[in-house]
Amino acid sequence: MRKYLFIIPLFFHHTYYSQQSKKALPCYDLTEVLKVEPTPLYKTHLDASKSFNVKLLKTTSTVQKYINSGKFHSIKKSGKGYKVQKLDYSRAWMVSKGKSILEKMGARFSKETKGHTFTVSSITRTLEDQCRLRRVNSNASLGISSHNYGNSFDISYVRFNGVLKNNPKMEAALEKVLKYYADAGQIYYIKEKQQSCFHVTVRNY
């Protein structure tokens, strides 16, 4: 009986620490992530992201470091002309120019549409966030994303005023605003058809 009493605790001790070790491992392989080559169009977004001197955001602690240093600023859940949907795979923090552009775009959209709002569907992501996202969305980027640097956000073009519905008039108004800031040299944007959103990267203008 003594023999079994000795073995059982050892078994649970080994199992517990095996589980703890698994939890400590990242859910992504950084070597594999870095191997993925961006398209020429997307490379301009990544180059713009790196100009903010923010290191690749791997974990929550990396994001917290930039929050503590004042480099990242909180994005309100709603502002003039925009609303941020519930974020399960990203964080409502950005570099100051990112926050500023989002707020300016919202105000301009509101003015041009007489009070309507667009929806922000994603903001800053860590590599861990991206890994979790890929588990539910196979279209999520396998490589480095400009979201991983705190200066990109996505705007849905099928959700306005909190309503999920195709609205060509509002979509055209939104793209007009995006083009205005792109022409001013302050952003890059891509229309992502699979995600039904505009991917916006703020430049270090």
Side-chain angles (χ1 to χ4, degrees):
M1 185 68 181
R2 289 178 184 174
K3 186 176 180 181
Y4 287 109
L5 287 173
F6 178 72
I7 290 173
I8 290 171
L10 277 179
F11 171 77
F12 283 110
H13 179 273
H14 175 74
T15 304
Y16 173 77
Y17 280 99
S18 293
Q19 290 173 345
Q20 290 299 102
S21 296
K22 286 179 181 178
K23 287 179 182 178
L25 293 173
C27 65
Y28 60 87
D29 183 335
L30 184 58
T31 303
E32 292 302 312
V33 170
L34 293 173
K35 281 182 183 177
V36 179
E37 288 291 329
T39 63
L41 178 61
Y42 199 70
K43 188 176 184 302
T44 60
H45 287 248
L46 290 178
D47 290 344
S49 297
K50 292 170 186 176
S51 72
F52 284 91
N53 295 318
V54 172
K55 292 183 179 179
L56 183 63
L57 301 173
K58 298 178 182 178
T59 62
T60 298
S61 61
T62 319
V63 176
Q64 192 60 50
K65 181 184 78 171
Y66 287 112
I67 292 172
N68 293 344
S69 69
K71 183 89 174 180
F72 282 175
H73 302 266
S74 178
I75 307 300
K76 294 179 181 179
K77 290 183 179 180
S78 64
K80 190 170 185 179
Y82 78 90
K83 288 184 179 179
V84 178
Q85 72 176 36
K86 184 176 180 293
L87 302 175
D88 293 318
Y89 301 99
S90 65
R91 298 131 194 275
W93 293 87
M94 292 187 76
V95 293
S96 59
K97 284 183 179 176
K99 178 179 181 178
S100 175
I101 280 292
L102 173 56
E103 291 174 346
K104 287 178 182 177
M105 285 175 59
R108 191 175 188 88
F109 181 78
S110 176
K111 182 180 179 180
E112 295 198 359
T113 60
K114 298 181 180 179
H116 291 278
T117 61
F118 61 69
T119 301
V120 178
S121 55
S122 185
I123 309 181
T124 294
R125 292 200 297 259
T126 65
L127 288 182
E128 286 185 347
D129 294 331
Q130 206 156 295
C131 180
R132 291 188 301 108
L133 177 60
R134 276 199 299 275
R135 290 172 181 167
V136 298
N137 179 0
S138 59
N139 292 319
S141 175
L142 291 170
I144 301 299
S145 166
S146 56
H147 285 284
N148 301 146
Y149 292 94
N151 70 312
S152 287
F153 54 92
D154 294 338
I155 302 175
S156 171
Y157 57 76
V158 293
R159 190 184 294 273
F160 296 95
N161 307 308
V163 178
L164 179 60
K165 181 182 178 182
N166 284 322
N167 191 326
K169 185 178 179 181
M170 289 294 105
E171 181 183 338
L174 173 58
E175 188 154 19
K176 182 181 176 183
V177 170
L178 290 170
K179 190 174 185 306
Y180 173 84
Y181 286 100
D183 290 345
Q186 297 180 0
I187 67 166
Y188 292 121
Y189 74 93
I190 301 172
K191 186 174 185 179
E192 297 185 348
K193 294 183 178 180
Q194 290 177 322
Q195 305 302 319
S196 299
C197 72
F198 287 107
H199 174 77
V200 182
T201 296
V202 177
R203 300 172 64 179
N204 198 2
Y205 56 90

